[in-house]
Amino acid sequence: MRLMAREEDIYRLMDQRDQSLCCTGFCLAAVVVSIYFLMQELSWERVYFLAVSGIGSILLSWHTWKENRRIMEAGCCYMELDGESLAVCQPERDGRYESCRLFYSEVEKIVEGSRKGIPEFYVVVCPDQDRESFILLDDEEQARQIFCVRSLGYGDREFKKFYRRLRWEVPGRVRIIGTKNQSAWDKKISHAWVYFFMGIILGYLIPKIFLLWLGS
């Protein structure tokens, strides 16, 4: 069993990146226009418009960079189960990648991640120095026994199916620690953009009302 990004998944990420890039360009153009009008006359509306477009440019630039990084990661990351072992390649930090091949016979326990909305599980292998299992950070072998397997945009159903297949493949002596239905992994719908637009509206109305009150 193998999980990796499909061609249509990568195209979808590329479309999202291009949309973010277009929105970033729009915000940057709005910054230039707002600076021009602000040089003509100083007013609260023009200062506010400059602040909103500037913050929007920064956030969208960060989002575009994040989408581009996801595209790069999707092209080379995978999870695979064969008859004897678990193999994983996934991004770590600072642009580095971690990978492993963990043989079922050397697995001591599997611990299901309990962080809300984050599909992940930990595989613990035996501390024997002569073990065949290995964990790499780039090309450097690591001495640690624990490897955290994370879902990198794989579908929730596919990731759970992969995890349950692993539990089936390992020997019966391996301890499985976690819940039965992986309910902690269920992702909640993000309302960050809704809160952002509400903040924009309130950020304009509250100071505007205050200025009108001072002028009255």
Side-chain angles (χ1 to χ4, degrees):
M1 183 177 182
R2 185 181 179 94
L3 285 185
M4 64 182 303
R6 298 169 296 179
E7 189 174 352
E8 52 266 32
D9 295 330
I10 296 179
Y11 285 145
R12 176 176 51 82
L13 290 174
M14 292 176 68
D15 290 340
Q16 293 177 358
R17 181 199 59 187
D18 293 342
Q19 291 172 3
S20 297
L21 192 60
C22 290
C23 292
T24 302
F26 177 78
C27 284
L28 289 174
V31 169
V32 174
V33 172
S34 59
I35 290 176
Y36 172 77
F37 283 109
L38 192 60
M39 292 174 65
Q40 304 299 316
E41 180 183 355
L42 182 63
S43 67
W44 158 245
E45 285 80 5
R46 297 178 182 183
V47 171
Y48 178 77
F49 186 71
L50 175 61
V52 170
S53 56
I55 294 173
S57 300
I58 295 173
L59 292 177
L60 286 169
S61 298
W62 174 79
H63 186 69
T64 302
W65 172 82
K66 189 176 180 180
E67 291 290 339
N68 194 59
R69 184 174 178 181
R70 287 180 63 192
I71 293 171
M72 296 175 62
E73 293 171 350
C76 61
C77 296
Y78 64 90
M79 299 165 50
E80 183 177 23
L81 295 174
D82 58 25
E84 299 180 345
S85 63
L86 160 71
V88 179
C89 179
Q90 62 187 19
E92 217 264 350
R93 297 178 181 176
D94 303 323
R96 307 183 74 181
Y97 289 83
E98 60 178 0
S99 57
C100 73
R101 182 169 291 278
L102 308 177
F103 289 88
Y104 304 145
S105 59
E106 298 175 344
V107 174
E108 288 189 344
K109 60 183 175 180
I110 298 174
V111 183
E112 185 178 310
S114 59
R115 293 190 293 174
K116 292 292 185 180
I118 302 179
E120 63 183 7
F121 59 88
Y122 300 83
V123 181
V124 183
V125 294
C126 64
D128 189 356
Q129 294 182 352
D130 296 327
R131 71 187 185 199
E132 295 184 56
S133 301
F134 59 84
I135 298 173
L136 301 177
L137 181 59
D138 289 339
D139 294 327
E140 301 175 5
E141 186 166 358
Q142 306 295 296
R144 54 192 169 100
Q145 300 173 241
I146 304 174
F147 190 91
C148 177
V149 181
R150 304 185 301 274
S151 175
L152 303 171
Y154 308 117
D156 292 347
R157 181 178 300 177
E158 289 79 8
F159 187 77
K160 289 182 179 181
K161 184 177 179 181
F162 184 93
Y163 171 70
R164 292 166 184 168
R165 175 68 179 274
L166 173 64
R167 289 172 41 166
W168 177 265
E169 293 286 351
V170 296
R173 60 172 177 77
V174 176
R175 289 182 295 161
I176 309 294
I177 303 174
T179 61
K180 183 178 181 181
N181 299 317
Q182 298 86 46
S183 58
W185 293 357
D186 295 336
K187 296 180 180 180
K188 297 180 179 179
I189 299 175
S190 176
H191 300 289
W193 289 105
V194 176
Y195 297 146
F196 176 72
F197 285 114
M198 288 179 60
I200 289 177
I201 295 172
L202 293 176
Y204 173 77
L205 290 177
I206 294 175
K208 184 66 175 179
I209 294 173
F210 181 71
L211 290 174
L212 290 175
W213 178 72
L214 288 179
S216 60

